[in-house]
Amino acid sequence: MSTANAAASVQWSSRLGFILASAGSAIGLGAIWKFPFWAGANGGGAFILPYVVFTLTTGLVLLMAEFAIGRRGRGSAVSAMRRIGGRPFALLGAFAVLTSFLILAYYSVVGGWCVAYLAQSLTTGVVTENAQTLRSDFREIVSTGRINIAWLFSFLSLTAITVGCGIEKGIERASKLLMPMFFVMMLAVIIRGLTLDGAMEGVKYLLSFKPEDLSPGAILSAMGYTFFSLSLGAGILITYGTYLPKRADIPLSSLWVALLSIQASLLAGLMVMPAVFAFGVAPDAGPGLVFITLPMIFAHIPGGCIFAAIFYVCLLVAALTSSVSLLEVVVAFLHNEWRLSRSTATIASFVLLFFLGSLSALSFGELNEFTLFGRNFFDFFDFVCTNFMMPVGGLAVAALMAWKAWPAMKEELTAAKPIPPGILSAIRVVLGVLAPILVLTTMYQGLFL
Ligand code: PHE
């Protein structure tokens, strides 16, 4: 049996499993720690409106194109791109695999912090009113190499075990269990936050809409966030698409993934901001928000320890379902191109990632002084992947499916249900013209402004 056929025999067992796994990849740390702050800082509604519009237009067609490449080409991101677009696109597929690998090398360091905080919230507790203690506790985890590396190891192990168990028994089963749990737990924290005095200020900060705030900066940030939050351009949805059965409805499934991702971002905003405002703390983004500000806030809330633990479960689930998708891209590549067995491929990736991840983990402590283009390892990987590598991947997908292989794209889109020609033309224009213009502009902003 050829490798393509071998790969084709592995499939998602249900549409729900596929949608939840893809949504799980999309919904990650981005939604929880970038969205609430970015939305607030860019005028609330003036960020949310373009974000929703981009997700349902450019984001949606790019999702469809990635799934279509995967199902049409089979194998891995590399062989799928090669089969549809020839050698140059195979190289772009390899670039996407490298992107996923590099993202994982810093994403899993943060995943390690999530495990650390969950473990602590279930044992000694993380909540305290003392901001100084919280800051020094966080600094200790982050800047002590062996502690940071130990947590990285635990997070990477969870990721590798899930991927090692395969598509149906590993990724699909984990997503079906974790994603619904994620939404229910999020709702519990949201309800608690919204019932605090002063919570409505946070809702207003997030949702207020002033047309004058619709600046080019807010619009470009919304595009950048759309791209990152849908996990586009890193070969992930291509790889997940390779396990799609022929009869699956790609447009409908893509719409589901986009809507779930929007919903998760909005819910994450509602989970974080009302509580932040109820206690009059300055909203923050990134690690400072989830590892310092929020534990301080939970300390003021009755039952705060329990809600803190629930919150860190959500954070870990979000990070894990995204890291699993990143690792799957690499494992599928090694399995299909280098013919390693799935378990050997998983172990080999784990070892390499542990090494590279350790460099990122040490970049807040022992390797602090070591910089590439003025950035430590962690920030360098983050900067290059989000501002350069993912956009290049997105451009490759758009060019391939809108221009080089449009007939194949049309067939994939209409495999389950016919689509009116007008809508197909609109999809082609958004994919082949609008998406590249927006991606290039955002890339320029990220790299040079
Ligand atoms: N979408 C994920 C998040 O929001 C991040 C991610 C990007 C995951 C690219 C995989 C690939 O956190």
Side-chain angles (χ1 to χ4, degrees):
M1 200 193 291
S2 76
T3 37
N5 288 339
S9 62
V10 178
Q11 288 194 346
W12 302 103
S13 75
S14 66
R15 188 174 77 172
L16 179 71
F18 160 67
I19 291 174
L20 289 180
S22 308
S25 169
I27 301 163
L29 296 167
I32 298 179
W33 85 22
K34 279 192 181 167
F35 178 79
F37 175 79
W38 278 25
N42 286 295
F47 176 89
I48 295 178
L49 181 72
Y51 156 62
V52 171
V53 171
F54 287 145
T55 301
L56 293 177
T57 51
T58 46
L60 182 61
V61 295
L62 283 164
L63 279 177
M64 293 189 221
E66 291 210 13
F67 288 142
I69 296 175
R71 181 167 71 183
R72 183 98 183 172
R74 298 282 166 191
S76 67
V78 174
S79 49
M81 298 275 275
R82 183 192 305 116
R83 259 183 220 116
I84 301 175
R87 243 190 99 70
F89 282 93
L91 283 177
L92 289 163
F95 190 73
V97 175
L98 182 67
T99 307
S100 273
F101 183 77
L102 291 180
I103 295 177
L104 198 46
Y106 69 87
Y107 205 83
S108 48
V109 174
V110 186
W113 303 343
C114 300
V115 183
Y117 272 73
L118 175 59
Q120 211 179 315
S121 67
L122 294 174
T123 51
T124 51
V126 280
V127 302
T128 157
E129 290 174 15
N130 189 338
Q132 203 45 46
T133 314
L134 286 164
R135 253 182 238 119
S136 57
D137 283 355
F138 181 60
R139 204 171 311 120
E140 171 158 334
I141 292 188
V142 166
S143 59
T144 318
R146 63 197 156 71
I147 301 184
N148 212 355
I149 290 178
W151 291 117
L152 163 74
F153 183 85
S154 63
F155 181 78
L156 266 181
S157 306
L158 287 175
T159 308
I161 291 169
T162 312
V163 172
C165 288
I167 292 300
E168 194 187 329
K169 294 213 170 69
I171 300 180
E172 187 171 347
R173 198 193 276 168
S175 309
K176 275 183 172 162
L177 173 79
L178 295 177
M179 291 315 287
M181 191 173 106
F182 171 76
F183 279 110
V184 171
M185 289 187 144
M186 239 177 157
L187 282 178
V189 182
I190 290 172
I191 292 169
R192 176 68 270 203
L194 286 178
T195 47
L196 294 167
D197 281 345
M200 281 308 138
E201 281 310 303
V203 178
K204 264 194 230 142
Y205 173 81
L206 205 62
L207 300 180
S208 64
F209 181 75
K210 289 184 244 73
E212 66 271 20
D213 284 339
L214 265 177
S215 63
I219 295 176
L220 284 181
S221 306
M223 181 61 198
Y225 176 71
T226 300
F227 213 79
F228 186 79
S229 70
L230 289 177
S231 307
L232 293 168
I236 290 175
L237 307 156
I238 299 183
T239 308
Y240 277 9
T242 63
Y243 309 120
L244 267 178
K246 273 284 161 230
R247 58 176 199 289
D249 188 338
I250 287 185
L252 186 64
S253 304
S254 308
L255 184 62
W256 267 110
V257 174
L259 290 175
L260 285 171
S261 173
I262 294 175
Q263 184 201 21
S265 294
L266 293 175
L267 290 180
L270 287 178
M271 174 161 79
V272 171
M273 282 307 155
V276 168
F277 273 77
F279 293 100
V281 189
D284 200 349
L289 174 73
V290 293
F291 299 121
I292 298 169
T293 311
L294 286 178
M296 195 167 69
I297 288 170
F298 283 126
H300 292 277
I301 299 178
C305 295
I306 299 170
F307 286 98
I310 298 178
F311 173 79
Y312 288 114
V313 173
C314 285
L315 196 65
L316 179 60
V317 167
L320 191 62
T321 47
S322 297
S323 66
V324 158
S325 71
L326 290 159
L327 184 59
E328 175 60 27
V329 173
V330 182
V331 168
F333 166 75
L334 295 176
H335 180 53
N336 283 282
E337 303 299 311
W338 294 7
R339 318 228 161 177
L340 301 182
S341 73
R342 193 172 179 86
S343 32
T344 314
T346 309
I347 293 168
S349 320
F350 176 90
V351 172
L352 278 173
L353 278 162
F354 182 58
F355 173 71
L356 209 60
S358 298
L359 291 182
S360 322
L362 289 172
S363 60
F364 299 102
E366 287 80 346
L367 292 182
N368 206 355
E369 304 286 293
F370 196 92
T371 56
L372 291 166
F373 300 97
R375 292 183 160 82
N376 65 24
F377 276 118
F378 184 100
D379 292 338
F380 179 76
F381 290 147
D382 183 19
F383 181 80
V384 173
C385 291
T386 38
N387 293 305
F388 179 66
M389 298 183 77
M390 290 175 72
V392 168
L395 288 173
V397 166
L400 179 59
M401 294 319 261
W403 300 112
K404 191 163 168 68
W406 176 247
M409 173 77 176
K410 238 175 9 186
E411 264 179 49
E412 290 300 319
L413 292 180
T414 51
K417 265 192 239 104
I419 297 180
I423 295 191
L424 279 175
S425 312
I427 292 178
R428 189 170 187 193
V429 172
V430 175
L431 183 63
V433 182
L434 190 64
I437 293 176
L438 281 168
V439 171
L440 280 170
T441 321
T442 321
M443 192 164 146
Y444 179 78
Q445 184 215 25
L447 288 177
F448 304 111
L449 298 182

